[in-house]
Amino acid sequence: VCAVKGHQLPSSHAIFVVTPTQGGDEAALKKAVTNVLKKTAELKLETVALPSIGTGSAGSYDKGDAAAWIINSIAEYLEDASTAPPGTQTIKEVCFALYDE
């Protein structure tokens, strides 16, 4: 996971993650999503937008499976983070970009 300043983007940062190439491997996709969320919290950001990681030209995941796994991974992360010490969890909004075409 790599984070850079947003500069002229309409966001303060852009967070990049390597696309898992093990198509169908839920654990690899979950790890990628969790790492993005951890970096978001580390940067003390309140909002993050996630695309359908692993389903584009560089990925090999089925779009429907990936969407379900991404959403479940985010829900699990936020549920676990809800019991974190005060001030360590800043994420208030997660936006999804799970569309085709």
Side-chain angles (χ1 to χ4, degrees), residues 14-86:
I15 301 173
F16 298 91
V17 63
V18 175
T19 297
T21 57
Q22 311 90 329
D25 183 358
E26 182 178 0
L29 186 58
K30 179 178 180 176
K31 182 177 179 182
V33 171
T34 300
N35 286 339
V36 169
L37 297 171
K38 285 179 180 178
K39 179 59 78 173
T40 301
E42 178 185 311
L43 293 169
K44 301 197 181 309
L45 302 174
E46 294 183 357
T47 303
V48 63
L50 288 167
S52 188
I53 299 168
T55 64
S57 60
S60 56
Y61 287 86
D62 173 78
K63 288 179 174 94
D65 289 342
W69 294 341
I70 290 168
I71 291 169
N72 287 338
S73 297
I74 293 167
E76 288 175 16
Y77 176 87
L78 292 175
E79 185 174 325
D80 291 344
S82 70
T83 60

